[in-house]
């Protein structure tokens, strides 16, 4: 029972970290993508706590909940981490490329499209078209961006 309780607390902490990472994107679509899954996991954690407080403990039910929560948390963490990373990459490349908007009309047009894709949560597409135009109009600037990204700036 102590082990299951500690697991439930670990699950809660992990879920809170995931929620924090998602909220830090400050992007409503990212949150919307995961809200239902987060809600489901929260309910399952509450149910696990209820099961382990009940005497005698239904070990099979507790084990089943633990296994299911582990799986769901693992998938959620992986999916949300990828999405948040893609969000951050798209945001950075759009902001970086924006400095070339006034010098190249094509950049302005592409950034308008990229920003729409970004707003719609299509981060990979936003990144791809922004990188493409930056490479085309100013290859040295793209190299500068790529180098600064590797350093984590």
């Amino acid at each position: 029972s102590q082990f299951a309780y500690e697991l439930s607390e670990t699950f809660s902490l992990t879920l809170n970290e995931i929620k924090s990472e998602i909220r830090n994107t400050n992007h409503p679509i990212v949150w919307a993508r995961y809200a239902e899954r987060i809600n489901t996991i929260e309910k399952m954690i509450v149910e696990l706590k209820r099961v382990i407080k009940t005497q005698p403990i239904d070990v099979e039910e507790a084990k089943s909940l633990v296994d299911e929560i582990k799986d769901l948390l693992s998938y959620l963490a992986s999916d949300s981490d990828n999405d948040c990373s893609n969000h951050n990459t798209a945001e950075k490349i759009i902001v970086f490329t924006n400095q070339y908007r006034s010098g190249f009309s094509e950049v302005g047009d592409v950034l308008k499209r990229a920003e729409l894709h970004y707003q719609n949560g299509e981060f990979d597409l936003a990144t791809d078209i922004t990188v493409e135009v930056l490479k085309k109009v100013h290859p040295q600037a793209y190299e500068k961006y790529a180098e600064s990204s590797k350093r984590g700036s």
Side-chain angles (χ1 to χ4, degrees):
S1 123
Q2 181 65 27
F3 179 69
Y5 176 77
E6 288 172 5
L7 269 177
S8 72
E9 292 301 308
T10 300
F11 292 155
S12 293
L13 287 172
T14 302
L15 186 59
N16 285 338
E17 288 171 5
I18 293 168
K19 287 166 45 177
S20 177
E21 182 182 21
I22 293 169
R23 282 192 187 110
N24 284 340
T25 65
N26 202 25
H27 197 292
I29 288 182
V30 176
W31 180 257
R33 283 184 184 150
Y34 300 105
E36 188 175 320
R37 289 163 66 182
I38 288 169
N39 191 37
T40 298
I41 294 169
E42 286 174 332
K43 287 177 182 177
M44 292 176 76
I45 292 170
V46 168
E47 179 62 13
L48 176 61
K49 288 179 180 181
R50 185 198 63 74
V51 167
I52 61 179
K53 286 181 183 176
T54 304
Q55 295 296 325
I57 295 175
D58 184 340
V59 175
E60 288 302 313
E61 184 178 5
K63 183 182 177 337
S64 174
L65 281 167
V66 164
D67 291 344
E68 192 171 355
I69 293 169
K70 270 185 189 176
D71 288 345
L72 291 175
L73 266 177
S74 175
Y75 291 127
L76 177 64
S78 176
D79 292 348
S80 64
D81 188 51
N82 287 337
D83 217 17
C84 291
S85 176
N86 292 341
H87 164 273
N88 293 337
T89 300
E91 184 176 62
K92 286 177 185 175
I93 190 69
I94 289 170
V95 168
F96 181 86
T97 305
N98 194 48
Q99 65 186 311
Y100 301 101
R101 184 184 291 250
S102 62
F104 302 92
S105 63
E106 184 179 354
V107 172
D109 296 338
V110 169
L111 283 179
K112 284 179 189 172
R113 285 196 347 246
E115 289 163 356
L116 280 174
H117 290 303
Y118 175 87
Q119 290 168 3
N120 291 330
E122 300 164 335
F123 306 122
D124 288 340
L125 188 53
T127 299
D128 291 347
I129 65 173
T130 305
V131 164
E132 187 178 309
V133 76
L134 185 58
K135 281 181 176 179
K136 180 178 176 184
V137 300
H138 204 313
Q140 297 85 3
Y142 173 74
E143 294 298 326
K144 177 181 167 187
Y145 169 78
E147 218 22 69
S148 70
S149 293
K150 287 179 189 172
R151 290 191 309 262
S153 319

